[in-house]
Amino acid sequence: MDIEEKEPIVREMHLQTTVTIKKANFEIRPTDKLLFVGSCFADRIGGLFKENHFNATVNPYGVMYNPASVLHTIEKMHDAGQKFDTVFITLGTNHVYILNETGEIVDNCQKRPSTLFTEKELSVEECASYLEQCVTLLREDNPDVHVVFTVSPIRYAKYGYHESQLSKATLLLTLNSKLLTLNSFYFPSYEIMMDELRDYRFYADDMLHPSDLAVQYIYERFRETYFSINAKAMEVEWQPIKKALSHRPFNADSEEYKAFIAKAKADEEAFCKRWKL
């Protein structure tokens, strides 16, 4: 008996668990003043904003890993009278180091002997208190500021992986309990890395830090969530100018290159004027 050959059933296959992110109820505009504070992951994401010609200040007093240290930066910016439209706070850990001599939490041990310090894990309540103070100061400077929290996806091997997870859990529980009270936002950097990008090809050689590709992917998710149409247009327009300015010639003294770089700088000047940067 002849059996009629049928077309194979084609099913849509999902080879990745995508983290759903709600579109924010505010948008980043080309002229907005942005602040990135927190762990080294804030440096990576904030650095991409700077590369793309946004007015971004990134960890002006160095990397701040925990909520108490983040507050120290916010306090300094407040004392300097700095105002921002949007602030991104990236939390890395709930571990702090207390200088025994003064009883104060330090932001950097500066390679001094460990015997001078006592390590402590902040509770959810203590983390929440520091973050509440951050938001209060930011809103004193600008009542309309948008504050976005995220948890760094970088794991802390020195704690041990279980202890690192407990540290991240403390931060996540803090934000989960306080976002509504603080009228702030959460961006799931940690969840994107753990779920969407859970493959070691998305990690750097140390197998702990996100690779350049992973950071770029998370930046794109930031872009989808927060950029206005104009911000996206500005970023697209900037790319060929950025590429031209970063070009490395064989002969920097050639007349051809001098004319090339002069045009690129003129294009940059016109770009800044057009977007009022």
Side-chain angles (χ1 to χ4, degrees), residues 172-211:
L172 291 167
L173 285 169
T174 299
L175 294 177
N176 190 61
S177 67
K178 282 296 175 183
L179 282 180
L180 288 178
T181 305
L182 298 176
N183 193 24
S184 300
F185 303 88
Y186 179 70
F187 182 82
S189 300
Y190 180 78
E191 291 81 354
I192 291 171
M193 195 71 201
M194 294 299 108
D195 287 292
E196 288 194 42
L197 305 179
R198 52 178 170 177
D199 188 306
Y200 277 111
R201 65 196 169 110
F202 295 116
Y203 284 83
D205 291 344
D206 65 1
M207 299 298 167
L208 297 173
H209 288 74
S211 67

Side-chain angles (χ1 to χ4, degrees), residues 253-269:
D253 295 323
S254 69
E255 293 302 318
E256 182 182 11
Y257 176 71
K258 290 178 181 178
F260 173 84
I261 202 65
K263 181 181 182 304
K265 289 181 178 179
D267 289 343
E268 181 183 22
E269 185 177 345

Side-chain angles (χ1 to χ4, degrees), residues 136-149:
T136 296
L137 290 176
L138 290 168
R139 294 217 166 106
E140 284 181 10
D141 297 325
N142 177 12
D144 297 321
V145 67
H146 302 107
V147 182
V148 180
F149 291 100

Side-chain angles (χ1 to χ4, degrees), residues 30-165:
T31 56
D32 280 356
K33 193 173 181 182
L34 312 174
L35 174 64
F36 291 82
V37 180
S39 73
C40 52
F41 187 70
D43 276 350
R44 300 290 303 279
I45 294 294
L48 290 176
F49 274 80
K50 288 177 70 71
E51 284 181 21
N52 288 319
H53 228 295
F54 287 93
N55 183 9
T57 299
V58 182
N59 275 335
Y61 299 102
V63 174
M64 303 290 159
Y65 292 99
N66 61 76
S69 293
V70 168
L71 175 60
H72 294 162
T73 288
I74 299 298
E75 288 173 332
K76 291 175 183 177
M77 301 303 284
H78 174 74
D79 291 342
Q82 295 286 335
K83 299 180 180 181
F84 298 93
D85 296 296
T86 301
V87 176
F88 292 95
I89 295 176
T90 302
L91 304 174
T93 179
N94 70 327
H95 287 236
V96 298
Y97 291 89
I98 299 170
L99 183 62
N100 295 330
E101 183 181 359
T102 64
E104 296 179 344
I105 294 174
V106 298
D107 302 328
N108 191 317
C109 294
Q110 299 176 328
K111 298 183 179 180
R112 288 176 287 179
S114 61
T115 54
L116 297 178
F117 304 92
T118 298
E119 184 177 0
K120 176 187 174 181
E121 296 175 38
L122 298 177
S123 67
V124 168
E125 292 74 22
E126 289 171 318
C127 290
S129 176
Y130 287 119
L131 298 182
E132 286 173 344
Q133 293 176 69
C134 288
V135 174
T136 296
L137 290 176
L138 290 168
R139 294 217 166 106
E140 284 181 10
D141 297 325
N142 177 12
D144 297 321
V145 67
H146 302 107
V147 182
V148 180
F149 291 100
T150 190
V151 172
S152 168
I154 299 168
R155 294 170 295 156
Y156 289 85
K158 66 179 181 179
Y159 299 160
Y161 295 114
H162 177 66
E163 289 76 7
S164 177
Q165 289 290 76

